[in-house]
């Protein structure tokens, strides 16, 4: 396949536009509601401080939203799920290699021109065992070599094994400029990218500040920061309470926030506040199967899965705004749509769960708790704080497990602490948090392969041979032919109770005095426009 021209669909216009709200603003006698606000400040709330925003250290959702303002990628993703130009204006796929043609105009935020050889250095850096980045397992999960030609303006990546999504995978890796690659410690809370904004300030636990890069003209499909309404400054504030976010939207203190709980009801009725729904997996139960953890025992996982009533859990987990999950992936457009869970997930049956536990030697006491050899059956469930419906769902999950005699310790954590538990300490038995990815091949890193200790994202230490075999076959197949294999692979996870999808829903972006567009789960920085 060869792309030599820009598509008609702009890379930034990836999903439906959020309409601008009305309202005043600007100088008296000159402002008109809905008209662009020149050189203003755009403020968006996130639920938690993501910690490091070095793009090669984390693929977490909050982290990605923050560093998307400062870093570009080679290609973007269109509304139909297909790749669209970004730093690369065209590309050519030949066998197991992809050659990207750069536009030649992109500069780093320190003024240095980005060269293909800089991108080559990035891709060598992220796969180096000494600096192994989670982006390798997430986006380029194959052995590869890279080369570049600064004169021709090309960068080439070649997979040592077939990988049908190499174009999209390599194209999604954030591109780091030489200054950041030379001194990674310098970009923990700063930036060294080619993106439309540059980080200028960080206050731990409070906010990030960005400043617009004037002269930026190489955004998706030629997006430019010279367009009227592009903010001069951006503030991303960390606010854990959704009611506080909603109050700030209504009062005009902020321009955007993602709100998933009960406050949506009043925001939907508030004049001047607009909403755009981003489809996601909302509720998901993931087990820690590492040696020495309780759920290393498949019998215990099967018992826990049988104790879970998804029909009751789904509405609670979505504040009555969602549906029962039927697929491992919900992000629109769903790469491989269809019902994957029916007939594959263990059915809700408390009696069966109790019978399995009895057979496994977990004795039930008069108070309903179970133990074996003097050790109580009590599991640690971690979840991210911020959304009240999440806490309610975890409480209900604890009650459902208790009905079968499984005790629980429910621990709410900030985003940074949650990620530390997943990828550093591994101190959990269940984590309740959905894994949302753009493509099925990205899910393989979370449900198989290397653990965080070895540079991977398989925090549950899942070892499912059938899933890994089918995933490998699907990854090698052309993207348009892989879906039946991906579906079978996901069903193998469900059969073994490695993961339990609970609910689908929306993670709405609400805006006030601003418009924006989204791709997948994230706001597209080059699409933001402030209005009067």
């Amino acid at each position: 396949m060869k792309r030599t021209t820009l598509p008609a669909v702009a890379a930034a216009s990836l999903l439906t536009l959020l309409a601008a709200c009305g309202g005043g603003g600007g100088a008296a006698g000159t402002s008109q509601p809905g008209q662009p606000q020149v050189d203003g400040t755009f403020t968006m709330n996130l639920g938690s401080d993501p910690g490091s925003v070095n793009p090669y250290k984390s693929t977490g959702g909050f982290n990605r939203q923050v560093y998307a303002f400062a870093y570009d990628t080679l290609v973007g993703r269109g509304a139909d799920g297909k790749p669209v130009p970004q730093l690369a204006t065209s590309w050519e796929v030949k066998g197991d290699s992809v050659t990207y043609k750069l536009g030649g105009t992109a500069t780093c935020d320190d003024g240095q021109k980005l060269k293909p050889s800089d991108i080559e250095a990035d891709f060598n850096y992220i796969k180096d065992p000494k600096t192994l980045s989670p982006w390798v397992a997430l986006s380029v999960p194959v052995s590869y070599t890279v080369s570049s030609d600064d004169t021709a303006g090309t960068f080439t990546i070649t997979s040592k094994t077939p990988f049908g999504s190499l174009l999209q995978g390599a194209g999604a890796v954030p591109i780091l400029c030489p200054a950041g690659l030379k001194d990674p410690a310098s970009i923990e809370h700063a930036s060294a990218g080619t993106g439309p904004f540059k980080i200028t300030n960080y206050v731990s636990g409070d906010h990030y500040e960005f400043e617009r890069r004037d002269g930026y003209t190489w955004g998706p499909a030629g997006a430019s920061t010279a367009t009227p309404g592009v903010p001069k400054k951006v503030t991303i504030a960390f606010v854990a309470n959704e009611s506080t976010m909603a109050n700030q939207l209504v009062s005009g203190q902020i321009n955007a926030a993602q709100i998933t709980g009960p406050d949506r009801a009043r925001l939907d009725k508030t004049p001047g506040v607009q909403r755009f729904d981003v489809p996601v997996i909302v509720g998901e139960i993931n087990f820690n199967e590492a040696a020495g953890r309780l759920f290393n025992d498949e019998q215990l996982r099967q018992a826990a899965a049988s104790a879970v009533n998804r029909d009751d859990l789904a509405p609670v987990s979505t504040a009555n705004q969602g549906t029962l999950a039927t697929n491992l992936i919900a992000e629109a457009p769903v790469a491989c749509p269809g019902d994957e869970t029916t007939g594959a997930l263990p059915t809700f049956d408390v009696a069966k769960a109790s019978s399995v536990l009895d057979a496994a030697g977990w004795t039930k006491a008069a108070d309903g708790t179970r133990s074996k050899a003097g050790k109580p059956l009590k599991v640690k469930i971690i979840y991210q704080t911020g959304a009240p419906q999440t806490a309610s769902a975890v409480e209900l999950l604890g009650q459902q497990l208790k009905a079968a005699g499984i005790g629980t310790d429910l621990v709410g954590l900030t985003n940074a602490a949650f990620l530390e538990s997943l990828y550093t300490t591994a101190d959990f038995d269940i984590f309740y948090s959905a894994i949302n990815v753009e493509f099925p091949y990205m899910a393989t890193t979370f449900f198989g392969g290397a653990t965080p200790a070895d540079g991977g994202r398989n925090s549950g230490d899942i070892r499912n041979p059938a899933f890994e075999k089918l995933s490998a076959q699907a990854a090698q197949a052309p993207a348009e032919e892989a879906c039946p294999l991906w579906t079978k692979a996901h069903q193998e996870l469900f059969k073994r109770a490695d993961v339990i999808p609970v609910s689908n829903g929306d993670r709405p972006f609400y805006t006030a005095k601003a418009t924006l567009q989204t791709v997948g789960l994230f706001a597209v920085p080059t699409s933001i426009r402030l209005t009067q």
Side-chain angles (χ1 to χ4, degrees):
M1 170 186 173
K2 186 174 183 178
R3 294 296 297 267
T4 57
T5 59
L6 294 175
V9 179
S13 59
L14 297 161
L15 292 175
T16 307
L17 176 68
L18 284 173
C21 73
T30 61
S31 65
Q32 297 182 30
Q35 293 299 306
Q37 180 188 150
V38 178
D39 290 346
T41 297
F42 173 83
T43 301
M44 179 170 70
N45 281 353
L46 285 184
S48 181
D49 186 338
S52 171
V53 291
N54 177 336
Y56 291 162
K57 289 186 68 172
S58 176
T59 57
F62 286 165
N63 308 71
R64 290 179 66 181
Q65 181 61 88
V66 172
Y67 62 64
F69 282 80
Y71 297 91
D72 292 316
T73 57
L74 286 167
V75 300
R77 188 183 182 211
D80 58 359
K82 296 180 180 179
V84 293
Q86 201 162 30
L87 280 175
T89 55
S90 63
W91 48 82
E92 185 173 7
V93 179
K94 288 185 177 180
D96 295 328
S97 71
V98 182
T99 296
Y100 301 89
K101 175 70 174 179
L102 273 64
T105 58
T107 60
C108 300
D109 56 22
D110 61 0
Q112 182 174 334
K113 183 177 180 179
L114 180 73
K115 303 186 300 296
S117 55
D118 299 328
I119 300 175
E120 178 184 356
D122 285 347
F123 275 79
N124 281 327
Y125 175 89
I126 63 175
K127 73 171 183 175
D128 187 330
K130 296 178 181 178
T131 54
L132 188 61
S133 169
W135 275 102
V136 174
L138 177 70
S139 206
V140 199
V142 288
S143 296
Y144 64 81
T145 59
V146 287
S147 61
S148 61
D149 186 331
D150 288 344
T151 301
T154 57
F155 164 75
T156 299
I157 182 169
T158 301
S159 169
K160 293 183 179 180
T161 57
F163 180 39
S165 299
L166 184 61
L167 167 63
Q168 298 95 324
V173 175
I175 301 304
L176 182 60
C177 286
L181 201 64
K182 182 179 180 180
D183 184 11
S186 70
I187 56 171
E188 287 291 296
H189 304 293
S191 59
T194 63
F197 297 89
K198 177 180 180 178
I199 296 175
T200 55
N201 188 34
Y202 167 69
V203 178
S204 178
D206 193 76
H207 71 276
Y208 273 98
E209 293 177 14
F210 298 77
E211 187 167 319
R212 181 181 68 207
R213 294 188 60 210
D214 292 334
Y216 179 95
T217 60
W218 52 87
S224 167
T225 54
T227 304
V230 173
K232 185 176 181 62
K233 295 184 178 181
V234 170
T235 298
I236 298 180
F238 312 129
V239 178
N241 188 286
E242 288 196 349
S243 293
T244 300
M245 292 188 194
N247 291 338
Q248 291 178 338
L249 270 168
V250 172
S251 65
Q253 296 177 64
I254 65 172
N255 302 105
Q258 280 190 300
I259 295 175
T260 59
D263 289 285
R264 288 160 52 161
R266 65 180 172 115
L267 290 176
D268 289 340
K269 299 176 182 178
T270 302
V273 175
Q274 298 294 322
R275 163 182 169 174
F276 175 69
D277 292 334
V278 180
V280 292
I281 296 286
V282 175
E284 190 175 84
I285 298 167
N286 296 269
F287 297 98
N288 187 349
E289 303 177 21
R293 305 299 302 204
L294 284 166
F295 288 118
N296 177 257
D297 183 349
E298 184 179 348
Q299 279 188 306
L300 190 54
R301 294 199 308 277
Q302 293 286 352
S306 295
V308 172
N309 186 340
R310 296 196 309 142
D311 289 331
D312 287 350
L313 200 54
V316 174
S317 69
T318 62
N320 293 308
Q321 299 289 322
T323 59
L324 196 66
T326 59
N327 195 299
L328 191 65
I329 298 175
E331 182 179 326
V334 178
C336 297
D339 184 349
E340 298 178 335
T341 58
T342 301
L345 275 175
T347 56
F348 170 57
D349 188 337
V350 177
K352 179 181 177 181
S354 296
S355 177
V356 171
L357 291 171
D358 288 339
W362 292 98
T363 304
K364 194 171 187 178
D367 62 359
T369 61
R370 291 180 181 271
S371 62
K372 184 187 338 185
K375 180 179 180 180
L377 179 53
K378 190 173 186 179
V379 299
K380 182 177 182 178
I381 303 178
I382 63 172
Y383 64 97
Q384 294 181 75
T385 56
Q389 68 273 18
T390 298
S392 297
V394 173
E395 289 175 6
L396 178 56
L397 173 60
Q399 294 169 13
Q400 292 180 350
L401 294 175
K402 183 179 180 180
I406 302 174
T408 58
D409 179 18
L410 313 180
V411 181
L413 301 169
T414 64
N415 178 72
F418 183 80
L419 293 178
E420 182 179 12
S421 292
L422 288 190
Y423 302 128
T424 303
T425 65
D427 184 19
F428 67 93
D429 294 300
I430 290 175
F431 73 88
Y432 180 90
S433 180
I435 295 172
N436 283 286
V437 294
E438 292 94 326
F439 302 101
Y441 71 83
M442 289 183 169
T444 60
T445 186
F446 296 99
F447 301 111
T451 63
D454 293 322
R457 280 298 182 259
N458 182 9
S459 57
D461 201 2
I462 297 171
R463 303 299 169 192
N464 186 324
F467 168 75
E468 293 181 3
K469 180 180 179 180
L470 287 163
S471 294
Q473 293 173 359
Q476 293 178 21
E480 62 274 12
E481 300 175 9
C483 281
L485 290 167
W486 286 122
T487 295
K488 291 179 181 179
H490 297 165
Q491 290 174 333
E492 291 298 329
L493 291 173
F494 304 150
K495 291 175 184 177
R496 245 186 45 138
D498 292 321
V499 58
I500 304 174
V502 173
S503 56
N504 287 354
D506 297 304
R507 189 180 293 165
F509 270 99
Y510 285 91
T511 64
K513 293 189 177 180
T515 65
L516 57 79
Q517 296 166 333
T518 63
V519 54
L521 306 174
F522 307 109
V524 179
T526 53
S527 74
I528 295 169
R529 303 289 183 269
L530 288 169
T531 59
Q532 302 280 359

